[in-house]
Amino acid sequence: MMSQYWAQIRAVIRLEMKKTFLAKRGLWVYLLAFAPALMFGAHAFDVMRTRQYQHEVIAGHPVSRNLLDSIKPGMTMDEVQVKLGDPTSRRTVTTRRRTRTWLRYTDGESQYDFTFNDDELERISVHEIASLQEDKLIFATVFQFFFVRLAIFFGCVGIFMNLFRGELIDKSLHFYLLAPIRREVLLAGKYLAGLIATVVIFTTSTALQFWLLVLPYDSASVSQYMQNGGWQHLAAYLGVTALACLGYGSVFLAAGLFFRNPLIPAGIVLVWESANLFLPAALKKISVIFYLQSLCPIVAPPDRDMNPLLALLISSAEPTPAALAVAGLFAVTAVILFFGARKARTLEINYGTD
Amino acid sequence: MSVSGQEKTGPPPIEQSLVVFDNVSRFYGEVLGVNRVTLSIPPGITSLVGPNGSGKTTLMNLMTGLVRPTRGSIRILGVTPDDPEKLFRLLGYSTQFDSFPKGLTGSQFVYSFLRLFGTSHAECEKQAWKAIERVNLVDAANRKVAGYSKGMRQRIKLAQSIAHDPRVLVLDEPLNGLDPLVRAETIALFRELAAEGRHVIVSSHILHEVDMISDQVILLSNGYVVAEGKISGVRSEISEHPMQVLIRCNKPEALAARVFEQDSVVEARLHADKGGLLIKTRDADRFYRLLNQIALNGIEIESVAPADDNVNSVYEYLIGGEESTK
Ligand SMILES: Nc1ncnc2c1ncn2[C@@H]1O[C@H](COP(=O)(O)OP(=O)(O)OP(=O)(O)O)[C@@H](O)[C@H]1O
Ligand SMILES: [Mg+2]
């Protein structure tokens, strides 16, 4: 019996595959999915170009990082220049009372600005050309606030909502309902087809984004990061991506059975998910984002320096352990699919007027 | 092959060979789809005939579980339409919907939905091509359905519904849009399928189109079964019951005189306003032909309407269908 169901599910997936991956109206799903990759690609390109420029600069003014770090406030301009040679740039401002001078050096990774008051080194500011540390936070922010909440969310609206609704509109759903297949099995097949498509599209994008994140950095610091939690981060991001498809997929598959207009459920769910932070703890758990949030490896900065007034409204978010979060998400998905299957069982063909 | 045997104990054997409607009603909100339908359909060709909106499609959708009855129960060879796993190994349905899954060729379409049975690639391939051959569409089978003509779409739907070798075939207006040659071929196919002992249930809004091939006819009107049985029986049922026609015209007396020449006209009554008359006739077919001749001879006929509904209006409608096919 199970093997029969499985064969039927595979037949449904075969029929759905083209629609989920190559829907004519589905191009925007790809744009949405790969927009962050495009952004990180542009950033990587920019960093690499700047770095190349800096390398050309230090070819003329070779300075090592050790040497740069040996400079201490209080030194004179001459002492500095003896140690480091000519700066890559120099600026002087003379007022009635004193003369200020800035000397800029670079070792190719960071930019050092030395500020002299008259002839005495007063301040050293080091500015990394690009910082993996910083970029990781940007990545975390983009991932949580754009990729999961909007890109995957609307990608699932586009793909899963259409599994039933699209065929009701095309008036071709009856072919499925006239086959010797349980409606629950049909639902499972369609859900899996949507899941395969979204997981492939969005995890590919996540992996690509991650690769572009580390691309501009030298292999030493990349492997340093990868050995120290980097792989776990990547795995977590991929996992959250897949789980987001799983959760939002079930929501919009069911929504496609209950609603004719996709904007209504999409709007309702979007508001509900966005309000999640402010909901009482019990209600928080009836959502997808709550579990995904707890699984994200790096807490995105906006959570930390949030408006204190808003922060007050947030109910105590007891940290959920990963295993529990995954189990919770599966539970929510199962409940939604259960209601979807019940609706599918009693679904009648009513395409409106012929 | 794919037809599952009748297992276990079940309803009595006679039930196992009938399509049974037991006091079935279906309302769409306030709108009546069909009402109080009780039928037992044996194997052979059965035609559901009635004008637009009379409930043919509703009956077929009820038979196949696409809609559920508001009241009553249905059994297809003993199987309830609520059990698709069993039902659709017994039954194939070619719907009235003229729409298809996107991007498939004719053969891919038939093949893909056969795979839903859970059978192997080779088996499905074989069944699909056999069905396509049966509807004579081999040449076009590798083209996209989207590029098919109406007649070809009708035939590929037919192929899809017979591919798994069902014992009951439900075909909603299968002759619609076919040219005379293909129509004859398709009718021959129905006869073949019926001769193999299957149920072939077809619908049409033109009695003339199906009466010659049907083993029995079910006449529908406004959601009710108004006549049912062998075609000869249905015909006499109609003609035994005189039909009343209201005619508005400029010279009702002259018209009355003319129509009384026909012995099937049993009564003609002038309206008080001298602007029309009511006629009772046993042979509406002949009466309408006469009326057409009269209309050519200077009497201006304003309107013709059947004076009572049910059988008469259906019959009037069906005669209209005959006229139009002449
Ligand atoms: N989905 C629906 N919603 C509301 N009313 C419906 C629906 N489907 C059918 N009806 C109504 O039920 C009645 C029977 O319709 P049905 O489609 O069964 O007729 P039909 O005999 O198949 O007509 P046709 O010859 O036009 O195909 C009609 O009055 C129709 O308006
Ligand atoms: Mg119809």
Side-chain angles (χ1 to χ4, degrees):
Chain A
M1 207 67 224
M2 274 333 271
S3 74
Q4 164 81 4
Y5 289 153
W6 185 233
Q8 293 184 321
I9 285 175
R10 283 207 315 267
V12 175
I13 292 175
R14 273 195 44 167
L15 269 162
E16 296 293 322
M17 220 60 295
K18 229 165 121 186
K19 271 181 286 182
T20 48
F21 272 109
L22 298 171
K24 263 201 207 104
R25 288 163 291 183
L27 186 68
W28 60 269
V29 173
Y30 286 90
L31 290 178
L32 211 55
F34 287 94
L38 216 65
M39 199 193 85
F40 287 114
H43 176 65
F45 180 73
D46 183 48
V47 169
M48 289 195 310
R49 225 187 36 179
T50 317
R51 176 153 315 129
Q52 196 187 352
Y53 169 72
Q54 301 288 348
H55 276 289
E56 279 161 19
V57 168
I58 57 165
H61 313 262
V63 195
S64 77
R65 188 177 198 110
N66 280 341
L67 221 48
L68 282 163
D69 287 342
S70 69
I71 306 299
K72 296 281 175 280
M75 292 168 104
T76 67
M77 206 184 300
D78 280 344
E79 280 172 328
V80 171
Q81 291 198 46
V82 165
K83 275 196 153 178
L84 302 180
D86 284 339
T88 60
S89 74
R90 166 201 303 272
R91 203 151 57 88
T92 308
V93 177
T94 312
T95 60
R96 232 177 299 136
R97 278 195 273 145
R98 61 184 178 190
T99 307
R100 267 178 181 270
T101 309
W102 289 270
L103 298 186
R104 172 172 287 179
Y105 291 86
T106 177
D107 67 341
E109 291 299 329
S110 304
Q111 214 163 264
Y112 286 71
D113 288 308
F114 298 109
T115 311
F116 293 89
N117 202 354
D118 288 328
D119 199 32
E120 188 189 319
L121 178 52
E122 188 182 69
R123 206 156 62 86
I124 304 171
S125 77
V126 185
H127 164 70
E128 274 186 279
I129 293 164
S131 139
L132 185 53
Q133 204 55 40
E134 219 166 78
D135 284 0
K136 274 170 7 194
L137 282 183
I138 294 173
F139 186 94
T141 312
V142 171
F143 184 82
Q144 282 183 41
F145 289 90
F146 174 76
F147 196 60
V148 171
R149 282 166 190 258
L150 294 174
I152 299 181
F153 182 92
F154 281 105
C156 286
V157 172
I159 289 177
F160 284 91
M161 277 282 294
N162 270 338
L163 289 172
F164 280 96
R165 199 186 130 270
E167 279 172 1
L168 280 169
I169 289 170
D170 288 350
K171 304 186 178 180
S172 63
L173 186 62
H174 60 277
F175 290 115
Y176 274 124
L177 305 191
L178 296 175
I181 176 172
R182 292 173 74 109
R183 302 264 175 103
E184 294 87 341
V185 176
L186 174 63
L187 183 107
K190 279 180 171 275
Y191 178 64
L192 283 177
L195 201 59
I196 291 170
T198 46
V199 167
V200 167
I201 294 171
F202 286 100
T203 54
T204 304
S205 172
T206 304
L208 186 62
Q209 288 171 51
F210 196 85
W211 179 67
L212 290 167
L213 165 73
V214 298
L215 180 66
Y217 298 96
D218 61 288
S219 56
S221 42
V222 170
S223 64
Q224 152 83 8
Y225 168 47
M226 293 315 279
Q227 302 310 323
N228 293 295
W231 288 113
Q232 283 93 315
H233 286 180
L234 176 59
Y237 282 127
L238 289 173
V240 171
T241 304
L243 287 172
C245 297
L246 186 99
Y248 287 128
S250 69
V251 172
F252 293 114
L253 176 75
L257 279 161
F258 286 96
F259 294 85
R260 275 196 163 235
N261 183 346
L263 293 178
I264 296 168
I268 294 171
V269 179
L270 189 64
V271 168
W272 177 257
E273 295 277 302
S274 309
N276 190 265
L277 271 176
F278 311 107
L279 293 175
L283 285 179
K284 264 185 202 296
K285 290 173 184 157
I286 312 173
S287 76
V288 174
I289 197 70
F290 171 72
Y291 302 101
L292 297 177
Q293 199 87 57
S294 353
L295 288 168
C296 281
I298 297 175
V299 178
D303 251 0
R304 293 189 303 195
D305 42 47
M306 180 180 280
N307 184 333
L309 248 167
L310 280 183
L312 264 181
L313 289 171
I314 298 173
S315 62
S316 67
E318 72 277 36
T320 315
L324 242 130
V326 173
L329 191 64
F330 272 99
V332 167
T333 303
V335 168
I336 294 169
L337 286 180
F338 170 79
F339 282 108
R342 249 189 28 178
K343 177 75 183 173
R345 271 192 76 87
T346 55
L347 185 70
E348 292 193 338
I349 288 294
N350 178 7
Y351 295 143
T353 48
D354 295 325
Chain B
M1 223 176 2
S2 60
V3 174
S4 66
Q6 295 122 318
E7 337 88 331
K8 301 179 273 183
T9 54
I14 182 73
E15 259 255 284
Q16 300 278 17
S17 66
L18 296 175
V19 173
V20 178
F21 280 74
D22 184 10
N23 201 17
V24 173
S25 302
R26 165 68 201 211
F27 292 85
Y28 299 98
E30 298 279 279
V31 181
L32 169 68
V34 294
N35 201 8
R36 300 188 174 283
V37 171
T38 298
L39 288 170
S40 289
I41 306 175
I45 300 181
T46 302
S47 297
L48 295 177
V49 184
N52 293 131
S54 56
K56 305 181 293 292
T57 301
T58 301
L59 271 191
M60 291 186 156
N61 285 349
L62 283 165
M63 245 183 262
T64 51
L66 291 189
V67 304
R68 304 286 152 83
T70 311
R71 269 197 303 275
S73 79
I74 301 158
R75 288 282 181 284
I76 315 295
L77 314 189
V79 175
T80 161
D82 281 327
D83 185 356
E85 271 181 296
K86 272 210 186 110
L87 180 70
F88 294 111
R89 292 180 189 278
L90 294 177
L91 183 150
Y93 181 20
S94 166
T95 64
Q96 198 176 3
F97 310 119
D98 192 14
S99 46
F100 295 85
K102 287 208 182 103
L104 298 179
T105 66
S107 61
Q108 283 170 346
F109 164 61
V110 179
Y111 166 85
S112 302
F113 284 94
L114 277 172
R115 283 310 292 270
L116 293 177
F117 284 72
T119 22
S120 70
H121 164 77
E123 182 63 26
C124 292
E125 211 35 38
K126 204 173 86 191
Q127 288 180 330
W129 282 104
K130 193 172 147 211
I132 290 168
E133 260 166 49
R134 263 193 128 163
V135 301
N136 229 333
L137 208 61
V138 175
D139 292 342
N142 286 324
R143 281 165 40 197
K144 290 266 160 77
V145 175
Y148 279 12
S149 71
K150 167 88 179 169
M152 289 155 89
R153 292 199 299 273
Q154 284 284 43
R155 278 187 284 163
I156 201 70
K157 274 199 297 191
L158 184 59
Q160 198 260 333
S161 62
I162 64 173
H164 58 288
D165 204 19
R167 288 166 59 197
V168 180
L169 267 165
V170 182
L171 311 169
D172 203 353
E173 310 208 4
L175 298 174
N176 203 351
L178 302 184
D179 68 47
L181 184 68
V182 177
R183 177 179 298 231
E185 280 173 10
T186 308
I187 287 173
L189 176 60
F190 295 165
R191 287 209 163 107
E192 229 175 84
L193 291 164
E196 291 164 10
R198 299 174 213 271
H199 287 73
V200 181
I201 302 172
V202 299
S203 74
S204 172
H205 53 270
I206 307 169
L207 179 60
H208 172 70
E209 182 177 71
V210 289
D211 62 356
M212 302 304 289
I213 61 163
S214 304
D215 297 310
Q216 67 157 352
V217 175
I218 295 164
L219 282 190
L220 290 169
S221 173
N222 297 314
Y224 290 88
V225 172
V226 292
E228 170 203 3
K230 297 254 181 288
I231 182 65
S232 53
V234 171
R235 275 218 183 281
S236 63
E237 197 173 317
I238 292 167
S239 50
E240 268 164 26
H241 185 100
M243 173 176 166
Q244 305 188 44
V245 187
L246 275 172
I247 300 170
R248 303 291 293 175
C249 62
N250 61 348
K251 296 175 196 159
E253 289 106 331
L255 181 63
R258 284 296 308 273
V259 298
F260 261 123
E261 291 167 15
Q262 215 173 45
D263 44 2
S264 57
V265 173
V266 292
E267 194 184 329
R269 210 183 309 147
L270 290 180
H271 288 179
D273 67 358
K274 307 254 175 208
L277 75 168
L278 176 80
I279 285 167
K280 277 192 187 171
T281 172
R282 287 193 196 285
D283 189 343
D285 201 353
R286 276 185 63 202
F287 172 73
Y288 278 111
R289 251 178 276 150
L290 175 70
L291 197 61
N292 283 349
Q293 284 169 20
I294 295 170
L296 296 176
N297 295 340
I299 298 176
E300 278 172 30
I301 294 172
E302 232 173 81
S303 67
V304 179
D308 45 16
D309 42 16
N310 284 346
V311 181
N312 287 342
S313 64
V314 175
Y315 190 56
E316 189 264 348
Y317 174 84
L318 297 171
I319 297 300
E322 271 185 36
E323 292 283 350
S324 67
T325 56
K326 259 184 204 145

